[in-house]
Amino acid sequence: MTYTDQMGHQLSLPQLPQRIVSLVPSQTELLFDLGLGDRVVSLTKFCIHPQTLVKGKPIIGGTKNFHFDKIDALQPDLIIGNKEENYKEGIEQLQQKYKVWMSDIYTLEDALHMIRQIGEITGSQPQAEKLSASIVAGFAQLQPAQPSIKTAYFIWRKPYMAVGSHNIIDHMLQRCGFSNVFSERSRYPEISPEQLRQAAPQLILLSSEPYPFKEKHIAEFQELCPQASIKVVDGEMFSWYGSRLAKAPAYFRQVINEVKV
């Protein structure tokens, strides 16, 4: 069968893949939840879920520094990556030798398409369809904050980096009724303390990843924005676009209910 991935690349698979390398944490979790764990031969050091099942799997480096010799030794018949999380040069090198399927995800709809196509490619369509239906039902029941709340979502410290537009986190913020004060900026802009003050968010969300924000960092932002409500949130819920999406709506409802502005 011939498939077109989310970046427009075509790849032909003569049979169902039996030796899969996953280069993206959220997609690794998806593969296991689709019942494909025994076919995953390797993953990255950031692929931490499902915790008990990924232990013992060979590591091929990080999401942006592949160990090509380790991949070659495994001889995969399918590699699954992502445009944002992996690096172009590494992916292009892998594409010269292997079947590589790439996702490119900005919205819930993109994520659902990815889940369904990975199900199709791997022969796990029933599981993928069941998972997709569960995700759709969960988000259909999610009631966004009314009125919307002016929000800044931070992913890094020293320097401060926030979430701008054109990414899955911004989309999830919108789903929650959190209006991104930095949506006019693309991707993940560096933000100065003065720019944050001028943006005057009602709510500041500090993500648990990639920078591990903790409760101790709340005072730092409270000093910059005394009027804002500040909360540390589970970054996986806002940014992981695989099977974790089934758990996200319940978590978002909790966050919305806890926010006081």
Side-chain angles (χ1 to χ4, degrees), residues 239-256:
S239 65
W240 284 41
Y241 39 76
S243 47
R244 192 148 294 243
L245 287 169
K247 303 175 182 177
Y251 179 76
F252 292 158
R253 280 195 293 273
Q254 177 185 337
V255 173
I256 293 167

Side-chain angles (χ1 to χ4, degrees), residues 4-60:
T4 302
D5 70 14
Q6 290 182 303
M7 291 183 65
H9 304 136
Q10 284 195 338
L11 64 156
S12 297
L13 296 174
Q15 59 188 11
L16 292 179
Q18 301 298 315
R19 300 182 59 77
I20 304 172
V21 168
S22 177
L23 305 175
V24 182
S26 59
Q27 293 174 176
T28 296
E29 182 178 44
L30 170 65
L31 291 169
F32 279 89
D33 286 344
L34 292 179
L36 302 168
D38 59 336
R39 290 200 247 162
V40 177
V41 296
S42 189
L43 34 78
T44 77
K45 64 182 180 181
F46 300 112
C47 297
I48 58 174
H49 296 301
Q51 292 182 353
T52 58
L53 299 180
V54 297
K55 290 179 179 179
K57 292 286 185 180
I59 303 297
I60 52 79

Side-chain angles (χ1 to χ4, degrees), residues 2-171:
T2 299
Y3 304 93
T4 302
D5 70 14
Q6 290 182 303
M7 291 183 65
H9 304 136
Q10 284 195 338
L11 64 156
S12 297
L13 296 174
Q15 59 188 11
L16 292 179
Q18 301 298 315
R19 300 182 59 77
I20 304 172
V21 168
S22 177
L23 305 175
V24 182
S26 59
Q27 293 174 176
T28 296
E29 182 178 44
L30 170 65
L31 291 169
F32 279 89
D33 286 344
L34 292 179
L36 302 168
D38 59 336
R39 290 200 247 162
V40 177
V41 296
S42 189
L43 34 78
T44 77
K45 64 182 180 181
F46 300 112
C47 297
I48 58 174
H49 296 301
Q51 292 182 353
T52 58
L53 299 180
V54 297
K55 290 179 179 179
K57 292 286 185 180
I59 303 297
I60 52 79
T63 53
K64 299 188 186 298
N65 60 326
F66 310 146
H67 296 163
F68 296 100
D69 57 335
K70 294 182 178 180
I71 295 175
D72 290 340
L74 293 164
Q75 287 298 297
D77 52 14
L78 178 65
I79 297 175
I80 297 177
N82 173 266
K83 179 182 178 181
E84 177 177 297
E85 296 195 46
N86 301 136
Y87 65 119
K88 182 180 179 183
E89 296 79 10
I91 292 298
E92 288 176 345
Q93 184 171 334
L94 291 174
Q95 287 172 327
Q96 294 174 13
K97 298 176 68 173
Y98 302 107
K99 308 290 186 180
V100 181
W101 190 92
M102 296 292 291
S103 63
D104 189 20
I105 295 173
Y106 304 94
T107 67
L108 177 62
E109 290 71 26
D110 294 336
L112 291 168
H113 178 263
M114 177 272 292
I115 291 168
R116 292 180 181 121
Q117 189 159 35
I118 286 183
E120 183 180 359
I121 291 172
T122 60
S124 57
Q125 298 101 318
Q127 298 93 320
E129 288 298 332
K130 182 178 180 180
L131 174 61
S132 297
S134 173
I135 293 169
V136 169
F139 275 90
Q141 295 172 9
L142 179 63
Q143 296 296 316
Q146 294 288 346
S148 63
I149 301 171
K150 290 176 58 179
T151 303
Y153 185 108
F154 281 87
I155 62 167
W156 203 255
R157 177 174 178 265
K158 294 186 177 182
Y160 292 140
M161 292 178 67
V163 165
S165 62
H166 206 53
N167 57 65
I168 189 67
I169 301 175
D170 180 60
H171 179 80

Side-chain angles (χ1 to χ4, degrees), residues 214-227:
K214 308 290 185 186
E215 296 294 324
K216 66 182 181 180
H217 297 112
I218 289 178
E220 181 179 325
F221 284 85
Q222 200 75 74
E223 185 175 347
L224 295 172
C225 295
Q227 304 305 315

